[in-house]
Amino acid sequence: MKLDLSFYQHPEVTRVAKALLGKVLFTQVGGQTTSGMIVEVEAYSHIEKGCHAYGNKVTGRNKVMFLEGGHCYVYLCYGIHHLFNVVTSKAGVGDAVLIRALEPGQGLDVMMERIGATSPRRITSGPGKLTRAMGIDRGLNGTLLSGPDVWIGDGIKVGKGAILADARIGIDYAGKDAKLPWRFSIKGNEWVSK
DNA sequence: TAGAGGATTGAT
DNA sequence: TCAATCCTCTAC
């Protein structure tokens, strides 16, 4: 069951980020269907420096972030890794949630083959790896999560007490905004990134 | 048009 | 701790 696009259009990006924990991300790429439960996310809002949309600056790369909630924002980092984000809020705002880790579900053998792993352990534990495992690349940038290629479905319910909030990773350049506790994960889940 | 740097990862 | 690796943004 795909989530309704209104799910993503809530004005508080941190609330959508927490609500995404326990949901299941599906992709259908190259005729192969893969899925994984979301266990770790980070929220990014246009009001803070860690975000590509900071200062309402629209560029060729980040323009997808200013579409309405429910779009995919996929971009290349360090020339090597694709990172997968879900745009939230209304059109013109510039908020998004980065998916950092999944617990593998359907299509395990396909994901292992894409990573080149022989064991399912840690094949989706990190934002760059999960996109490779799921077959996500920039061809999906700007697509809608209600489409046939990538979507998010209902999963398990994660209670407030089971959510761990921490500082985000790899954005030291953002100054004090780097300390915002906007990384959310499912407490004790073994698939969370290290 | 050139130069710098990045929401990462895996090897040293 | 550091290199891989290339796209994006900024400054000239």
Side-chain angles (χ1 to χ4, degrees):
Chain A
M1 185 57 187
K2 292 180 189 179
L3 296 179
D4 193 89
L5 288 181
S6 62
F7 172 88
Y8 309 103
Q9 291 162 5
H10 190 280
E12 277 179 66
V13 62
T14 52
R15 190 156 152 170
V16 178
K18 283 184 274 195
L20 279 169
L21 292 175
K23 298 287 188 292
V24 181
L25 174 66
F26 293 84
T27 64
Q28 189 157 42
V29 176
Q32 306 274 16
T33 303
T34 53
S35 76
M37 185 178 75
I38 298 168
V39 298
E40 184 177 349
V41 297
E42 283 181 5
Y44 285 90
S45 169
H46 65 286
I47 58 169
E48 45 86 17
K49 293 200 196 87
C51 184
H52 291 166
Y54 176 64
N56 291 322
K57 208 164 31 183
V58 184
T59 66
R61 178 174 66 163
N62 73 8
K63 62 184 177 196
V64 171
M65 286 187 80
F66 293 94
L67 298 175
E68 64 179 356
H71 284 85
C72 304
Y73 173 40
V74 183
Y75 76 97
L76 191 66
C77 185
Y78 297 108
I80 302 172
H81 305 287
H82 296 279
L83 302 196
F84 177 74
N85 300 251
V86 176
V87 178
T88 70
S89 200
K90 295 179 300 190
V93 175
D95 289 1
V97 176
L98 169 70
I99 309 298
R100 288 192 59 88
L102 302 172
E103 176 174 324
Q106 202 177 326
L108 200 56
D109 49 342
V110 176
M111 291 193 266
M112 279 165 50
E113 196 184 326
R114 284 175 180 155
I115 293 281
T118 50
S119 129
R121 279 197 65 75
R122 318 215 68 78
I123 57 172
T124 51
S125 62
K129 281 199 295 189
L130 74 87
T131 52
R132 189 146 61 103
M134 301 287 285
I136 295 169
D137 62 26
R138 287 183 310 154
L140 293 174
N141 189 35
T143 58
L144 216 43
L145 287 167
S146 56
D149 306 311
V150 52
W151 67 94
I152 295 175
D154 231 339
I156 63 167
K157 195 169 171 55
V158 179
K160 234 182 185 165
I163 296 177
L164 198 65
D166 209 342
R168 292 170 296 176
I169 292 173
I171 55 165
D172 293 343
Y173 62 86
K176 68 172 168 38
D177 287 334
K179 296 191 172 61
L180 288 170
W182 282 9
R183 182 164 65 98
F184 305 104
S185 55
I186 297 179
K187 206 180 278 186
N189 188 287
E190 65 169 310
W191 298 95
V192 168
S193 70
K194 65 174 193 295

